[in-house]
Amino acid sequence: MSILLALAAAQAAAAAAKPLTPSEIVAKAPAAAWREVAPDDLMVIDYQGGGRTIVELAPAFAPVHVANIRALAGSGYWNGASIYRVQDNYVTQWGVNEGGPPVPAAVVKKPPAEYDRPLKGLAPRPLGYPDAYARGVGHAMGWPVAWNPATSRANLTHCYGMVGVGRDMAPDTGMGGELYTVIGHAPRHLDRNIALVGRVVEGMEQMSALPRGTEALGIYKTGTVARMIASVRLASAMPAAERPRFQVMETGSATFAAYVKARANRRDAFFNVPSGGVDLCNAPVPVRRTPALSSSSR
Amino acid sequence: MSILLALAAAQAAAAAAKPLTPSEIVAKAPAAAWREVAPDDLMVIDYQGGGRTIVELAPAFAPVHVANIRALAGSGYWNGASIYRVQDNYVTQWGVNEGGPPVPAAVVKKPPAEYDRPLKGLAPRPLGYPDAYARGVGHAMGWPVAWNPATSRANLTHCYGMVGVGRDMAPDTGMGGELYTVIGHAPRHLDRNIALVGRVVEGMEQMSALPRGTEALGIYKTGTVARMIASVRLASAMPAAERPRFQVMETGSATFAAYVKARANRRDAFFNVPSGGVDLCNAPVPVRRTPALSSSSR
């Protein structure tokens, strides 16, 4: 063996011995480990005065609610709406609180309570660590999910950045005109009590860093709002050149399995003691802007 | 039985049948279910331009670090310091990043790594639900803790609002001049890797609602800060009439046990399906301003 080959072999062995960090695993993920988000599943919220938040919708989990949201966005329902609730360590909520423009005819006013769905068809990857709320937790189709083997039902979970449909005290679900995102520790007690419809994929800080509302539940005082919304559009309704494009890591991939393992056993230079475990909401599914050269395979 | 007595009995039976919500349990907690926080354990952070954050220190878990922090506050070390790091879904960090005033002689420059402590003496109340990170989790002396029965070691946990001591990449712990608080989903992977020294008991929104820093790790651009700190004082160093007073729920009390059970089985009007479980950081220990008529028993 030449000196150069021996050196290369030694370097490879050293690299193999040092486990990759979660960030390194994501950076090195092969193209096949990513799925492109369909333009109909991307909701683009632009604020008056600048700033943007982008949400990925989850039609596989709440199809009627997501269809409502697409119809509302398509009609310009939220253009001129506001963020009117910011409750610390809980949620930021936006939309049309009272009154507002006419609701398009396509919107189902009383959608079914899409708080869970059949486990069948999801084939989730189990997280592999215990959970306080559900018998089964893991990831399916790029989403954090919980399930009950006894009932064969599964649900999205209230992790940081997940988006749900605001509703009143009555168990009837909301039609989708008011939405919220989680800005604190995962309020998993809301799981199966409310319809989750997606997650923020970019611009989370536009919602999490707002002054907290001073009234009960973080509601802003009457006549004030946290910020005004200029427009809400689906990416599919935007000119092709302006459409944002995102990819979500395939949670069934070997890359994602390695990522979760690395999150549970941090070996970054900073860490002295790996946990040996990670909870569902502390292993967020990697999301990225679609690289310029990537093919839009979906 | 008179009509009035029968009515009262019927009302009592109805009240007994409807489980109390977590808020109701806290509101009705007897005086004995609360412990007064000692003035030496309250750190009062006042900001330039107004606003205040109050931190309860945890000397039972990190005595050398807490002694350092008391000495730094006593010397005025942080008067004119800043919040210079705000990383979304992670931490807000403040203190003296570089340079700064002289460190008082009483400060231990290289404190021991108080990342955990003996389980002995804590007698924690087990949470009663599974945890992804530790064999044992629950509460001791009003704090969220994890422990390992095999090693008989226990540690504070990185829940929302917990305060820790910033350190460099080297495993040496920091001396206490830089502190952070958790502003997102609990980063429990930091447990046992860093010294936790307390928690925010009031004014959390002064740290969580700040614009996120734009540099790596949420650090603010050179020459800019999130906000300036006017002063940091212990309550014990303030005139008696100005001292804030707080009480923390006794986590060994029957009231706290009822509170955790109610958090795990929400029966508030809003909820359709109780979880049947709760995770450690989603059962925050109740804290309140000491009521005006309460005796300062500690």
Side-chain angles (χ1 to χ4, degrees):
Chain A
M1 193 185 285
S2 77
I3 288 175
L4 279 180
L5 277 176
L7 187 61
Q11 285 172 337
K18 186 175 175 295
L20 296 179
T21 66
S23 303
E24 288 168 346
I25 290 167
V26 172
K28 289 169 194 258
W34 299 94
R35 69 163 164 81
E36 182 84 10
V37 178
D40 247 7
D41 290 344
L42 278 180
M43 181 167 70
V44 179
I45 304 168
D46 284 308
Y47 302 106
Q48 293 184 16
R52 173 177 279 189
T53 297
I54 304 178
V55 171
E56 180 191 8
L57 299 170
F61 291 86
V64 180
H65 285 86
V66 167
N68 275 4
I69 288 166
R70 288 178 180 142
L72 290 165
S75 76
Y77 182 76
W78 288 301
N79 304 352
S82 67
I83 299 178
Y84 55 83
R85 178 188 181 194
V86 187
Q87 185 171 0
D88 196 59
N89 192 23
Y90 202 46
V91 298
T92 288
Q93 189 162 324
W94 70 95
V96 176
N97 196 5
E98 285 180 19
V103 174
V107 168
V108 178
K109 306 292 187 303
K110 296 250 180 196
E114 296 171 317
Y115 304 163
D116 62 6
R117 56 152 279 163
L119 176 57
K120 190 173 171 161
L122 286 183
R125 175 196 178 275
L127 180 70
Y129 305 105
D131 184 74
Y133 300 89
R135 298 266 300 280
V137 290
H139 296 85
M141 304 168 68
W143 297 95
V145 294
W147 63 90
N148 184 344
T151 62
S152 291
R153 303 288 295 178
N155 58 276
L156 292 175
T157 55
H158 276 83
C159 296
Y160 191 87
M162 290 292 286
V163 173
V165 173
R167 64 167 173 85
D168 291 330
M169 291 295 277
D172 287 355
T173 187
M175 64 91 174
E178 299 177 66
L179 301 171
Y180 65 89
T181 188
V182 172
I183 62 164
H185 187 74
R188 295 276 311 279
H189 51 287
L190 295 176
D191 292 357
R192 298 185 295 138
N193 281 286
I194 211 162
L196 286 168
V197 293
R199 74 177 138 218
V200 173
V201 293
E202 196 174 274
M204 183 63 194
E205 73 287 355
Q206 305 283 347
M207 294 201 166
S208 59
L210 298 169
R212 280 42 180 155
T214 53
E215 304 302 291
L217 305 176
I219 304 281
Y220 267 60
K221 269 187 202 300
T222 304
T224 71
V225 299
R227 70 192 312 170
M228 292 295 295
I229 292 171
S231 69
V232 176
R233 295 171 291 174
L234 296 180
S236 53
M238 298 170 71
E242 295 175 21
R243 282 182 200 168
R245 290 177 57 199
F246 285 86
Q247 293 183 330
V248 173
M249 188 170 279
E250 293 277 9
T251 48
S253 67
T255 305
F256 186 73
Y259 164 81
V260 170
K261 187 179 174 190
R263 293 281 306 182
N265 301 279
R266 294 294 289 265
R267 300 281 185 186
D268 316 32
F270 183 84
F271 291 85
N272 301 315
V273 186
S275 297
V278 67
D279 73 276
L280 182 66
C281 294
N282 198 17
V285 177
V287 175
R288 66 176 185 180
R289 284 262 175 178
T290 302
L293 294 178
S294 167
S295 66
S296 173
S297 58
R298 180 169 164 171
Chain B
M1 193 184 284
S2 76
I3 288 173
L4 279 180
L5 277 175
L7 186 63
Q11 284 173 337
K18 185 174 174 296
L20 297 180
T21 67
S23 304
E24 289 167 345
I25 290 167
V26 173
K28 289 170 194 258
W34 299 94
R35 70 163 164 82
E36 182 83 10
V37 178
D40 247 7
D41 290 346
L42 278 181
M43 183 166 68
V44 179
I45 304 168
D46 283 309
Y47 302 106
Q48 293 184 16
R52 172 178 281 188
T53 297
I54 303 178
V55 171
E56 180 191 9
L57 299 171
F61 291 86
V64 179
H65 285 86
V66 167
N68 275 3
I69 288 165
R70 287 179 181 142
L72 290 165
S75 77
Y77 182 77
W78 287 302
N79 304 351
S82 67
I83 299 178
Y84 55 83
R85 177 188 182 193
V86 187
Q87 185 172 1
D88 197 59
N89 193 21
Y90 202 47
V91 299
T92 288
Q93 189 162 325
W94 70 94
V96 177
N97 197 4
E98 284 179 20
V103 174
V107 168
V108 178
K109 306 294 186 305
K110 295 251 180 196
E114 297 172 317
Y115 303 162
D116 61 6
R117 56 151 280 164
L119 177 57
K120 189 173 169 157
L122 285 183
R125 176 196 178 276
L127 180 71
Y129 306 106
D131 184 75
Y133 301 90
R135 298 265 299 283
V137 290
H139 296 86
M141 305 168 66
W143 298 95
V145 295
W147 63 91
N148 185 343
T151 62
S152 291
R153 303 288 295 179
N155 58 276
L156 292 175
T157 54
H158 276 83
C159 296
Y160 191 87
M162 290 293 285
V163 173
V165 173
R167 65 168 174 85
D168 290 331
M169 292 295 276
D172 287 355
T173 186
M175 63 92 174
E178 298 177 66
L179 301 172
Y180 65 88
T181 189
V182 172
I183 62 165
H185 187 74
R188 294 276 310 278
H189 51 286
L190 296 175
D191 292 358
R192 298 184 295 138
N193 281 287
I194 213 164
L196 286 169
V197 293
R199 74 178 137 216
V200 173
V201 293
E202 195 174 275
M204 183 64 193
E205 73 287 356
Q206 305 284 346
M207 294 200 167
S208 59
L210 298 168
R212 279 43 179 156
T214 53
E215 304 303 289
L217 304 176
I219 303 281
Y220 268 60
K221 269 188 203 300
T222 304
T224 70
V225 298
R227 70 194 310 173
M228 293 295 294
I229 291 171
S231 69
V232 177
R233 295 172 290 173
L234 296 180
S236 54
M238 298 170 72
E242 294 174 21
R243 282 182 201 167
R245 290 176 58 198
F246 284 86
Q247 294 183 330
V248 173
M249 188 171 279
E250 294 277 10
T251 48
S253 67
T255 305
F256 185 74
Y259 164 81
V260 171
K261 187 179 174 191
R263 293 281 306 185
N265 300 280
R266 295 293 289 264
R267 300 283 185 183
D268 315 33
F270 183 84
F271 291 85
N272 301 315
V273 186
S275 296
V278 68
D279 73 276
L280 182 64
C281 294
N282 198 17
V285 177
V287 175
R288 66 175 185 180
R289 284 261 176 178
T290 302
L293 294 178
S294 166
S295 66
S296 172
S297 58
R298 179 168 165 172

